[in-house]
Amino acid sequence: MVAQNSHEAIRQIEEHPDLILLDIKMPEMDGLELCRKIRNFNSKEGPRCSSSLTI
């Protein structure tokens, strides 16, 4: 799955992907904010969200 922006990514999370890669500079909402929303969405079950920085 590929999302063009954060709102598409939020809709796709309902399909429970095994891995989510986020760009910090995504349009409409940055990757860190989206990661916080994913954590709230999956707070009781589902994938864990962790942050990583690569240069």
Side-chain angles (χ1 to χ4, degrees), residues 11-40:
R11 286 192 295 269
Q12 291 179 4
I13 288 172
E14 295 175 357
E15 297 179 30
H16 303 288
D18 294 326
L19 176 67
I20 302 169
L21 299 175
L22 302 173
D23 184 352
I24 289 183
K25 294 184 178 182
M26 292 190 318
E28 301 177 25
M29 179 187 316
D30 68 41
L32 297 174
E33 184 178 347
L34 179 57
C35 190
R36 284 190 286 274
K37 288 185 180 271
I38 292 169
R39 285 180 178 153
N40 290 334

Side-chain angles (χ1 to χ4, degrees), residues 5 18 27 30 34 41-44 48 52-53:
N5 59 50
D18 294 326
D30 68 41
L34 179 57
F41 184 77
N42 293 308
S43 62
K44 295 183 180 179
R48 293 183 221 167
S52 174
L53 174 65

